């Protein structure tokens, strides 16, 4: 079974440009999560989808970030316009559910390293 | 605010000895805790978890201890192996909040 995949693995852009990150969850997983790790610090929660609906987006830093999950399959996270502080590693995770069950194990993708110059 | 803290950024132990990784949390509403292991260029992988109704959970060489009154948990690895060298993240739910990670190096 394929794991969580993320594309691209690495993106280098200039401040003010737009970048779109993609996450393909494990097939059949209703829950999809986005996280970010900045400068070797803790991994921070960004948002949580259940199928195509945003269950919790309390971690989204500001309105420059837009996440979508059309059709409840893959998800994209767009940063527009990118700022220097957006640099970091963006992880996606998926889980089978049901949502909110604490024992529901999340499986992480390898991450996308975003560098904003 | 950082609700889950791992105060040791790194730990080095000799092969065969015990590795003890520590984690503190501040939110008493957390009721489930996990440890993830991360190798370079890979995403975190689930290692072991513990519910707040327990104080210990064991899985092979890995044991997690939870002290609710102290809001502290620890991961014990016995015996440590060179392949255990990785960054270990403590996490608490819900939603998932991670510590900053501890880099474990096991020397042969």
């Amino acid at each position: 079974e394929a794991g969580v995949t993320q594309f691209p693995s690495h993106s280098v852009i200039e401040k003010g440009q737009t970048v779109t990150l993609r996450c393909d969850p494990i097939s059949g997983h209703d829950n999809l999560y986005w996280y970010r790790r900045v400068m070797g610090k803790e991994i921070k929660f960004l948002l949580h989808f259940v199928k195509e609906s945003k269950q919790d987006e309390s971690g989204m830093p500001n309105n420059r970030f837009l996440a979508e999950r059309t059709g409840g399959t893959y998800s994209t996270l767009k940063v527009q316009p990118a700022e220097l502080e957006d640099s970091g590693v963006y992880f996606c995770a998926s889980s089978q559910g049901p949502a909110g069950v604490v024992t529901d194990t999340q499986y992480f993708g390898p991450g996308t390293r975003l560098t904003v110059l | 605010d950082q609700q889950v803290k791992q105060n040791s950024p790194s730990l080095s132990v000799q092969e065969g000895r015990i590795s003890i990784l520590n984690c503190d949390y501040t939110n008493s509403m957390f009721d489930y805790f996990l440890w993830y292991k991360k190798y370079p260029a890979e995403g975190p992988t689930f290692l072991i978890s513990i519910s707040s109704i327990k104080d210990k959970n064991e899985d092979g060489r890995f044991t997690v201890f939870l002290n609710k009154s102290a809001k502290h948990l620890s991961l014990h690895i016995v015996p440590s192996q060179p392949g255990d060298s990785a960054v270990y993240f403590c996490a608490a739910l819900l939603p998932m909040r991670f510590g900053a990670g501890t880099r474990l190096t096991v020397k042969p």
Side-chain angles (χ1 to χ4, degrees):
Chain A
E1 178 182 298
V4 177
T5 58
Q6 293 186 244
F7 182 83
S9 58
H10 195 174
S11 179
V12 181
I13 61 173
E14 293 190 350
K15 175 183 172 181
Q17 290 186 321
T18 297
V19 63
T20 300
L21 314 181
R22 173 170 170 145
C23 168
D24 286 78
I26 293 172
S27 177
H29 281 193
D30 287 341
N31 296 287
L32 188 149
Y33 306 82
W34 282 99
Y35 297 89
R36 177 173 73 173
R37 188 182 190 207
V38 175
M39 290 286 290
K41 295 184 179 178
E42 74 272 20
I43 300 171
K44 284 194 172 181
F45 167 81
L46 296 179
L47 87 159
H48 169 206
F49 284 100
V50 178
K51 298 184 180 178
E52 67 274 11
S53 300
K54 291 176 185 174
Q55 180 81 4
D56 181 352
E57 53 184 329
S58 61
M60 294 288 264
N62 52 61
N63 59 11
R64 295 186 294 103
F65 289 74
L66 176 64
E68 294 182 327
R69 192 184 182 194
T70 306
T73 54
Y74 71 90
S75 174
T76 58
L77 179 65
K78 181 189 288 188
V79 185
Q80 180 182 28
E83 298 289 344
L84 299 179
E85 64 265 25
D86 300 333
S87 296
V89 180
Y90 290 76
F91 291 105
C92 173
S94 73
S95 69
Q96 195 164 30
V101 175
V102 293
T103 55
D104 183 34
T105 300
Q106 295 184 25
Y107 297 88
F108 281 76
T112 293
R113 181 174 295 279
L114 174 64
T115 303
V116 182
L117 302 176
Chain B
D1 73 82
Q2 193 171 351
Q3 299 186 28
V4 179
K5 297 180 181 179
Q6 294 176 257
N7 294 318
S8 297
S10 63
L11 174 68
S12 181
V13 300
Q14 208 67 34
E15 180 179 6
R17 305 295 291 268
I18 183 172
S19 295
I20 300 176
L21 298 102
N22 293 302
C23 177
D24 297 290
Y25 61 96
T26 57
N27 189 342
S28 57
M29 297 300 291
F30 289 141
D31 59 4
Y32 200 73
F33 305 89
L34 310 93
W35 284 94
Y36 278 81
K37 178 178 178 180
K38 183 184 177 305
Y39 292 115
E42 295 182 9
T45 55
F46 170 74
L47 188 59
I48 191 170
S49 62
I50 187 168
S51 165
S52 60
I53 62 173
K54 295 186 175 181
D55 54 20
K56 176 183 174 181
N57 188 26
E58 195 171 352
D59 183 3
R61 296 185 297 113
F62 302 90
T63 303
V64 56
F65 295 92
L66 175 62
N67 182 334
K68 283 185 66 179
S69 60
K71 295 192 180 66
H72 176 84
L73 66 157
S74 60
L75 175 67
H76 292 212
I77 306 174
V78 181
S80 302
Q81 299 174 353
D84 296 330
S85 297
V87 177
Y88 289 78
F89 290 95
C90 168
L93 298 173
L94 284 163
M96 184 95 83
R97 298 197 183 276
F98 286 85
T102 296
R103 181 176 301 278
L104 173 66
T105 303
V106 181
K107 297 180 178 178

